[in-house]
């Protein structure tokens, strides 16, 4: 019998973002937002145009709530990262 220690690595399922509820808000930030998607996990972070949201709460593996940061006017990408 032979064993290769550490010979295989399992990747986590990919994260997906499908919808942002409250698709607009003040440049001052402070808008409550719900992010819907797949494979969210405890410790997730959410950013709007590269600036991190506050009060991030992973409600389930498909729902995160958070508060938008201040940002200049315009459309931005919404990104979710999990540890």
């Amino acid at each position: 019998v032979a064993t290769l220690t550490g010979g295989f690595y399992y990747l986590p399922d990919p994260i997906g973002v499908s919808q942002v509820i409250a698709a607009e808000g003040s440049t001052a930030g402070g808008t409550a937002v719900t992010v819907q998607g797949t494979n969210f996990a405890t410790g997730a972070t959410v950013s709007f145009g590269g600036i991190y949201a506050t009060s991030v709460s992973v409600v389930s593996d498909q729902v995160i709530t958070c508060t938008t940061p201040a940002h200049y006017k315009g459309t931005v990408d919404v990104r979710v990262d999990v540890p």
Side-chain angles (χ1 to χ4, degrees), residues 14-20 34-40 60-64 80:
I15 304 163
V17 175
S18 58
Q19 184 175 15
V20 177
T34 299
V35 180
Q36 295 181 331
T38 55
N39 299 316
F40 298 155
S60 72
D61 66 341
Q62 297 179 344
V63 176
I64 293 175
V80 174

Side-chain angles (χ1 to χ4, degrees), residues 36-70:
Q36 295 181 331
T38 55
N39 299 316
F40 298 155
T42 300
T45 59
V46 180
S47 61
F48 292 80
I51 303 173
Y52 287 103
T54 58
S55 303
V56 176
S57 176
V58 179
V59 178
S60 72
D61 66 341
Q62 297 179 344
V63 176
I64 293 175
T65 60
C66 61
T67 303
T68 60

